[in-house]
């Protein structure tokens, strides 16, 4: 089992070297372009854009509000309250890329609620399950055989959790480009639309790789933590 543990660690390092070409700072720079910012500054404010996009995709019953953290650059769809919480920082309000990011959250609000709830439930079950196993192991409540069974169940939960999040985010990312392109076509001529959407493609191609790597490694790290428990207890 020690060898499997080492293989997983090496796999994360190799995957990072192969698939992660851009740092978070470099990806943020892709969303900055003075020329494109000036072109899109004539668009409505983010809340109005969000409202218009929701109408565009025929999903008008979603509430819109601003994130409590004024420095946040990330918008978020809250499935509990059916609310899109918009980032309200300076960058989020002036970047040409805001349209695509808002479209992403708008599409999340349109996705099958069963998918969204299953993703939320699986993610939380995974975290609680992992925490509970750590506590029970430390307190010597569970035996070695029970630990093996719990680990097998956790691998299945982890796999389905990864699958659910991957499907949801991949669809929203693809549709964000389509929706934002359609929105731009209503407001600008073809040459401008092509210039902006080409940058959107660049952001998505580079940013999606980073996101999927982060999702992949996050799941692997959780498995590694589980394995560390067994190694510390001498059960492997």
């Amino acid at each position: 089992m020690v060898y499997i543990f080492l293989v997983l660690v090496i796999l994360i390092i190799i995957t990072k070297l192969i698939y992660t070409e851009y740092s978070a700072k470099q990806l943020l720079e892709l969303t900055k372009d003075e020329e494109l910012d000036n072109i899109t500054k004539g668009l409505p404010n983010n809340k109005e854009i969000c409202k218009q996009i929701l109408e565009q995709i025929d999903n008008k019953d979603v509430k819109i509000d601003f994130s409590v953290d004024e420095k946040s650059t990330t918008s978020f769809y809250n499935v509990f309250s059916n609310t899109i919480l918009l980032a309200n920082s300076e960058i989020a309000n002036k970047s040409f890329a805001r349209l695509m990011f808002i479209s992403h959250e708008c599409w999340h609000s349109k996705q099958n609620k069963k998918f969204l709830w299953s993703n939320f439930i699986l993610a939380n079950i995974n975290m609680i399950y992992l925490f509970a196993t750590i506590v029970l192991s430390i307190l010597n409540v569970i035996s070695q055989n029970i630990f093996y069974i719990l680990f097998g169940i956790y691998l299945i939960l982890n796999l389905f959790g990864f699958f659910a999040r991957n499907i949801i985010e991949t669809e929203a990312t693809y549709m964000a480009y389509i929706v934002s392109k359609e929105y731009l076509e209503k407001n600008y001529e073809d040459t401008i639309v092509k210039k902006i959407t080409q940058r959107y493609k660049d952001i998505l191609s580079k940013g999606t790789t980073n996101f999927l790597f982060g999702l992949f490694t996050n799941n692997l790290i959780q498995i590694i933590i589980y394995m560390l428990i067994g190694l510390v207890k001498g059960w492997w």
Side-chain angles (χ1 to χ4, degrees):
M1 188 55 66
V2 174
Y3 296 115
I4 296 176
F5 173 81
L6 292 175
V7 167
L8 286 177
V9 173
I10 293 171
L11 182 59
I12 290 176
I13 296 172
I14 293 175
T15 305
K16 181 176 177 61
L17 292 174
I18 294 175
Y19 293 103
T20 307
E21 299 181 44
Y22 303 91
S23 65
K25 184 177 180 180
Q26 288 173 316
L27 290 174
L28 181 61
E29 288 300 315
L30 290 176
T31 66
K32 298 177 182 178
D33 188 301
E34 188 173 348
E35 178 188 0
L36 297 183
D37 288 348
N38 287 330
I39 290 174
T40 58
K41 70 179 181 180
L43 291 175
N45 61 58
N46 286 357
K47 195 167 187 176
E48 182 61 27
I49 287 176
C50 189
K51 180 181 177 181
Q52 291 175 358
I53 291 175
L54 288 171
E55 291 176 353
Q56 177 183 320
I57 64 176
D58 192 25
N59 195 34
K60 304 175 186 178
D61 63 338
V62 181
K63 295 186 286 292
I64 306 169
D65 206 344
F66 290 105
S67 173
V68 177
D69 183 3
E70 294 183 356
K71 296 182 180 180
S72 174
T73 58
T74 305
S75 296
F76 174 75
Y77 171 65
N78 188 330
V79 68
F80 282 103
S81 58
N82 193 32
T83 303
I84 294 175
L85 298 171
L86 296 171
N88 199 25
S89 65
E90 183 180 356
I91 294 176
N93 283 308
K94 74 175 185 179
S95 172
F96 72 95
R98 63 195 171 112
L99 175 59
M100 185 176 63
F101 295 139
I102 293 172
S103 297
H104 184 101
E105 300 310 321
C106 286
W107 194 262
H108 272 318
S109 73
K110 189 177 174 65
Q111 287 177 313
N112 189 317
K113 295 299 184 290
K114 291 180 181 179
F115 293 167
L116 298 177
W117 278 112
S118 65
N119 171 62
F120 174 82
I121 292 170
L122 281 170
N124 282 278
I125 286 176
N126 277 341
M127 295 304 297
I128 294 171
Y129 195 99
L130 178 60
F131 178 75
T133 303
I134 292 174
V135 173
L136 292 175
S137 299
I138 292 174
L139 297 177
N140 295 316
V141 174
I142 58 176
S143 64
Q144 182 175 353
N145 290 335
I146 295 298
F147 178 82
Y148 291 157
I149 295 172
L150 292 176
F151 182 59
I153 295 173
Y154 183 75
L155 289 177
I156 296 172
L157 290 173
N158 190 284
L159 176 64
F160 276 90
F162 174 80
F163 175 77
R165 182 73 186 279
N166 190 21
I167 291 295
I168 289 170
E169 293 298 339
T170 300
E171 182 194 25
T173 298
Y174 172 76
M175 291 307 301
Y177 174 80
I178 301 298
V179 171
S180 56
K181 183 174 183 292
E182 290 176 353
Y183 184 94
L184 288 169
E185 288 171 341
K186 296 177 182 178
N187 293 276
Y188 299 104
E189 59 184 34
D190 288 346
T191 53
I192 293 178
V193 172
K194 288 179 180 178
K195 181 179 289 189
I196 296 174
T197 53
Q198 184 56 49
R199 286 296 301 276
Y200 284 177
K201 287 180 181 179
D202 195 30
I203 294 170
L204 289 175
S205 64
K206 295 169 182 175
T208 300
T209 302
N210 269 43
F211 171 78
L212 291 178
F213 170 76
L215 185 60
F216 173 72
T217 53
N218 182 59
N219 281 57
L220 276 186
I221 288 171
Q222 291 179 37
I223 293 173
I224 288 173
I225 291 173
Y226 218 111
M227 295 175 69
L228 275 173
I229 299 171
L231 288 173
V232 170
K233 297 291 292 185
W235 287 341
W236 299 118

